[in-house]
Amino acid sequence: MRKYRFFGIAAACLGTAAIAPPMSAAAGDQPRIGKTFADSVPGPINRTTATAGAPNILVWVIDDMGFGQLGSYGGLVETPNIDRVAQRGLRYTNYHTTPICSASRAALLTGRNSHRVHIGGHSAIAVGFPGQDALVPRSAGTVAENLRQSGYLTYAIGKWDHLPQADASAAGPFTYWPSGQGFDRYYGFLAFDADNFDPTLWADHQPVTLSPRRDYHLSADMAEKAIGWIGARDATDPHRPFMMYWATGAVHAPHHAPLRWRDHYKGRFDAGWDVAAQQILDGQKKLGLVPADMTLPPLPAGVKHWADLSREEQRMFARQMEAFAAQLSHADEQFGRILDAIEARGELDNTVVLITADNGASAEGAPQGTFSEHYFANAYFATLEENLRHYDDWGGPSTYPHYANGWAVAGNTPFRYYKQTAYEGGTRVPLILSWPGGIAARGELRGQYQHVTDITPTILDAAGIAPAATVNGERQMAFDGVSMKYSFAAPAAPTRHPAQYYEMYGNRSIYANGWKAVVPHRLDVWDFMNRPVFGDDNWELYNLAADPGEQRNVAATNPRKLAQMKALFDREAKANNVYPLTNTSEAWGFVRKQLAADMARRNFLWTYRGATARIPEALAPPVPSTSFTIEAKLDLETGAGGTIAAIGGRHGGFALHLRKGRPVFTYRSLDLKLTEIAADHALRQGPATILLRFERRGESEALVHIFSDGAEIAGGTIKGALPRLSFSPTETFDLGQDSGSGPLADGRTAGVLDGRIHTVNVRITPPTR
């Protein structure tokens, strides 16, 4: 047998006759095809490339940020890098989103109304109606797919929560992941929030294992990834344009920030939200963002004036705002690193930088705020006393905090209400757009009415790309948004987006040519288990041209205009899959019914063969909220340690694990009480069967029994706030290891199991009728 040494294509392998190729066709010529290579002329290898000089696109979607929270919008938080972008371009003062994250992100990326692309609410509580099933149609191709088809590199980093929760595992399907929505690369989290100190991340379709670092923060990690990907183009074409969708966890709860930034803001908000709101409004007037005669709206029902709070409430609430401000400033600092990297490459002037939010500031912390958003997500409302126990590390790793709703009211200054409502405070947010190479204006304002659906048409227009008629073989529906490019050089140009509907779990409104009709269906948005009656709704009417703060309801004196507006809303609702109107409690009820049906279909049994990781709670057995047994058949090493089964993490969860051969059950309730129930003796090396029985006794107590090969070896009682729905939107169910944080002391996990898992059977106790 002849042996060949491969140096590229070796002449020894091919012989000498084929070494000299025929002459190639001139660039642009078609190839000439003969019977063999020797009597053919190859043409050039053509690939789709972007137009010469096409701009880069950098989009930062900040989470849960109000109109009055950035420095360049009069805010009290230091955001020098965002302000730097504003000074190089435009600030829009009349830009709107939907009132919640999933819907806004779907609308931003597709250019279509959120209900029309099937995400009228939040994807975590998808309902089986066309406007609410969280299945973005293939006929609504994203801006990323349009750009990719035109030669752009496309990157998504950070939050991606507008997908069915049942799809958020390594098993896929990946249709609604970034890769299925036009992005070449992805790095981030698939939920509505993330632990910024210990997140559950994905790289493309693979789970990420983070190396322990005391100084880790998700925003910094995201910046490092962005800079790395931008620089990676040097391997092929350093000038190939890119689109980067950079979607931070900041400033959604948890309001996590490095200690140096939390210390930076100590004492800065002691004067309270009344003073802060007035300072913000004064700043906005000086900047020309709002009319000079604009006044602060009245506080919503249930929000106290700062002077009416106790001293301990003032102390706690000021601390909460310090953490929020620290998180926003830290995120701004990281974004500045990305800007610096692009500028160092000489590309910043030809980069469209777009900074916005997905909705207004969030009041989901309720009147007191909360030390843990997981606590709130299970309809537990933290008391002042509970929050004060976490005062010292508020915003640090041991908390998962959200500020009190009074800070959301101040953050949305000068507009009314907050996220999830259809008032201006829920939907009017900052929009900053800079492109020095394409926009002559510097530091100017634009007051045209614009909407989140306008972002995709604007990006494509700036890139000189016509919307694709077909994406992934699917004929595309028309955009609902319009390009904002008409406003770049024309401050006084009339809006090209004259009307827009809004709907969010019963809260709804309709805007048309300066008028707005609003229904305040559900204003206590932190209580998502309530069920207000739709027949009790009353419409309000505002002339925003004269009253942009929605303070003078003129419905009684303008019945004809109100009737016109209601009729317009009904037409838009029917055209965009808005009906049926649904309360959050009804959506959660549907999800729970689906879960009950799935349990019955499985005969209340889940079986796993071998170690398994990163199963989202939407796919896992519903052990957070039920009684259950876990039976594990194992083959153990001597003195084995490690995880058998775990779910949740440091802010609520449990682990059945081994410690030096001894079975241990560690449970952290949602109020962060830690309980360990451990066997006295170690198991022997070799085959073993461990059975855990968890019996709930209401919402604050459970009995635990641990058996080994049929004999009870440990038992005890769990006391604390047990989940009503789930432990965490981001932490997962794992067997044989524990990805993410753990429920053990200091957020530790028990690690990888020393041994082999043969099978794990999880049986849910059927509910009694």
Side-chain angles (χ1 to χ4, degrees):
M1 179 180 293
R2 296 178 65 186
K3 295 183 179 180
Y4 303 109
R5 298 174 65 193
F6 288 87
F7 298 94
I9 300 176
C13 178
L14 297 176
T16 58
I19 290 178
M23 183 180 297
S24 295
D29 290 350
Q30 293 297 314
R32 188 176 75 239
I33 308 299
K35 287 188 175 181
T36 68
F37 190 83
D39 59 10
S40 301
V41 178
I45 298 175
N46 293 315
R47 303 181 68 174
T48 300
T49 58
T51 304
N56 300 317
I57 312 293
L58 175 59
V59 180
W60 180 9
V61 178
I62 307 174
D63 212 326
D64 284 5
M65 186 186 66
F67 186 86
Q69 290 180 318
L70 296 178
S72 54
Y73 278 76
L76 306 181
V77 181
E78 297 169 22
T79 53
N81 291 293
I82 296 174
D83 301 346
R84 160 186 167 194
V85 176
Q87 290 162 6
R88 291 165 55 90
L90 303 172
R91 280 167 294 161
Y92 285 80
T93 63
N94 204 3
Y95 168 79
H96 298 74
T97 65
T98 85
I100 205 166
C101 50
S102 285
S104 289
R105 291 158 196 271
L108 185 152
L109 290 168
T110 65
R112 285 94 174 180
N113 287 324
S114 59
H115 294 80
R116 192 165 169 237
V117 293
H118 296 216
I119 303 189
H122 197 283
S123 60
I125 47 175
V127 179
F129 300 115
Q132 304 177 50
D133 63 19
L135 304 177
V136 177
R138 304 299 279 170
S139 57
T142 67
V143 61
E145 192 60 83
N146 275 265
L147 291 170
R148 182 164 68 174
Q149 289 186 178
S150 299
Y152 272 71
L153 286 166
T154 54
Y155 306 127
I157 298 177
K159 176 171 173 173
W160 189 274
D161 75 327
H162 58 288
L163 81 167
Q165 291 300 292
D167 290 9
S169 80
F174 303 111
T175 305
Y176 304 103
W177 286 50
S179 64
Q181 299 291 307
F183 287 96
D184 294 312
R185 300 299 309 276
Y186 174 62
Y187 183 82
F189 57 98
L190 304 172
F192 57 77
D193 68 19
D195 186 329
N196 291 274
F197 296 114
D198 199 354
T200 301
L201 300 177
W202 296 84
D204 301 322
H205 302 152
Q206 299 300 317
V208 173
T209 301
L210 294 170
S211 300
R213 280 173 45 188
R214 291 181 61 86
D215 64 343
Y216 179 88
H217 191 284
L218 177 57
S219 294
D221 187 9
M222 288 173 54
E224 290 166 11
K225 186 63 66 176
I227 294 166
W229 281 353
I230 291 168
R233 295 176 301 153
D234 290 343
T236 55
D237 180 357
H239 302 295
R240 183 177 176 186
F242 65 85
M243 175 197 173
M244 180 167 290
Y245 174 74
W246 201 70
T248 52
V251 281
H252 194 292
H255 295 152
H256 283 156
L259 181 60
R260 63 182 174 87
W261 274 111
R262 286 180 275 146
D263 287 345
H264 178 78
Y265 280 104
K266 276 186 178 178
R268 297 271 288 272
F269 301 100
D270 289 355
W273 48 61
D274 293 322
V275 169
Q278 188 61 56
Q279 290 175 337
I280 293 167
L281 179 58
D282 292 344
Q284 290 170 337
K285 290 178 180 179
K286 289 180 182 177
L287 293 169
L289 293 161
V290 300
D293 61 351
M294 197 152 189
T295 60
L296 290 174
L299 292 177
V303 178
K304 295 180 180 180
H305 286 286
W306 193 259
D308 296 330
L309 299 170
S310 70
R311 224 171 229 197
E312 286 295 86
E313 284 177 317
Q314 291 178 351
R315 175 171 170 262
M316 185 70 255
F317 296 163
R319 182 72 158 181
Q320 293 171 0
M321 185 58 193
E322 291 169 8
F324 172 91
Q327 187 184 46
L328 180 54
S329 286
H330 176 250
D332 174 85
E333 179 182 57
Q334 305 314 307
F335 190 70
R337 294 171 54 208
I338 301 174
L339 296 177
D340 291 345
I342 298 173
E343 188 169 37
R345 298 176 62 90
E347 297 183 79
L348 191 57
D349 282 353
N350 197 32
T351 297
V352 177
V353 180
L354 193 153
I355 303 170
T356 190
D358 57 356
N359 45 248
S362 169
E364 292 163 348
Q368 291 290 332
T370 182
F371 62 91
S372 173
E373 191 175 40
H374 301 331
Y375 200 54
F376 147 76
N378 281 273
Y380 288 109
F381 301 108
T383 64
L384 174 64
E385 292 71 26
E386 287 175 316
N387 285 335
L388 282 169
R389 293 184 201 126
H390 304 278
Y391 179 91
D392 289 338
D393 194 43
W394 197 276
S398 69
T399 65
Y400 211 89
H402 194 303
Y403 56 23
N405 56 13
W407 287 119
V409 174
N412 291 321
T413 297
F415 303 114
R416 295 178 68 190
Y417 292 104
Y418 28 68
K419 172 185 176 182
Q420 291 195 47
T421 75
Y423 287 100
E424 294 292 284
T427 64
R428 194 186 294 207
V429 299
L431 172 64
I432 299 170
L433 198 158
S434 168
W435 180 24
I439 300 175
R442 298 290 183 271
E444 295 185 11
L445 304 179
R446 295 292 182 268
Q448 291 91 349
Y449 189 94
Q450 305 292 170
H451 186 252
V452 64
T453 53
D454 300 335
I455 298 298
T456 280
T458 302
I459 290 173
L460 295 181
D461 200 0
I465 296 172
T470 301
V471 172
N472 293 327
E474 188 83 19
R475 186 162 186 80
Q476 296 295 286
M477 63 173 72
F479 289 143
D480 294 308
V482 297
S483 171
M484 296 183 289
K485 194 174 180 181
Y486 73 92
S487 69
F488 290 178
T495 181
R496 296 184 183 178
H497 198 128
Q500 182 62 46
Y501 83 89
Y502 299 86
E503 193 279 333
M504 184 57 50
Y505 298 118
N507 289 329
R508 53 204 188 274
S509 67
I510 183 74
Y511 169 87
N513 298 310
W515 288 90
K516 184 177 178 183
V518 186
V519 174
H521 175 74
R522 188 180 56 89
L523 297 180
D524 52 345
V525 297
W526 49 89
D527 185 3
F528 53 84
M529 298 308 288
N530 63 355
R531 191 170 184 166
V533 178
F534 286 102
D536 295 340
D537 289 338
N538 290 309
W539 285 84
E540 301 170 356
L541 181 67
Y542 299 96
N543 180 354
L544 294 188
D547 177 26
E550 299 172 301
Q551 296 192 42
R552 297 186 294 276
N553 178 12
V554 295
T557 56
N558 292 271
R560 185 174 179 182
K561 172 58 73 172
L562 180 60
Q564 292 173 347
M565 299 292 283
K566 290 169 67 175
L568 178 59
F569 177 86
D570 187 60
R571 289 198 299 273
E572 290 295 299
K574 290 174 179 175
N576 286 280
N577 299 328
V578 173
Y579 294 137
L581 301 175
T582 304
N583 287 311
T584 52
S585 56
E586 293 167 323
W588 273 115
F590 175 82
V591 171
R592 292 176 75 85
K593 284 182 180 178
Q594 294 290 102
L595 175 62
D598 186 51
M599 287 193 292
R601 179 181 61 81
R602 292 173 173 270
N603 197 26
F604 302 93
L605 176 66
W606 278 253
T607 297
Y608 302 92
R609 293 169 177 83
T612 307
R614 289 284 178 95
I615 303 173
E617 284 197 9
L619 288 177
V623 290
S625 58
T626 59
S627 297
F628 60 89
T629 61
I630 297 177
E631 180 190 53
K633 294 185 180 297
L634 314 168
D635 198 346
L636 301 176
E637 299 175 8
T638 301
T643 304
I644 299 171
I647 192 170
R650 74 164 77 225
H651 303 288
F654 69 72
L656 175 62
H657 58 105
L658 296 174
R659 182 182 296 146
K660 296 182 179 179
R662 296 165 55 209
V664 182
F665 183 67
T666 300
Y667 192 96
R668 189 176 293 274
S669 57
L670 293 174
D671 50 357
L672 306 186
K673 294 176 182 175
L674 182 64
T675 305
E676 282 201 349
I677 298 168
D680 292 332
H681 304 292
L683 302 180
R684 295 191 300 272
Q685 178 182 0
T689 299
I690 297 175
L691 186 140
L692 169 76
R693 181 178 298 150
F694 186 92
E695 302 175 24
R696 285 178 70 108
R697 295 287 187 266
E699 295 182 340
S700 59
E701 182 177 294
L703 303 180
V704 174
H705 303 273
I706 303 175
F707 300 84
S708 174
D709 296 321
E712 184 167 357
I713 56 174
T717 302
I718 303 290
K719 290 186 180 293
L722 307 186
R724 294 165 174 165
L725 297 169
S726 70
F727 278 121
S728 164
T730 56
E731 301 274 7
T732 54
F733 181 58
D734 300 274
L735 303 172
Q737 59 180 296
D738 189 357
S739 55
S741 70
L744 280 64
D746 298 323
R748 291 180 292 106
T749 73
V752 177
L753 181 67
D754 298 323
R756 180 184 174 193
I757 291 179
H758 293 287
T759 59
V760 173
N761 291 313
V762 182
R763 185 173 292 279
I764 302 301
T765 303
T768 56
R769 295 186 181 275

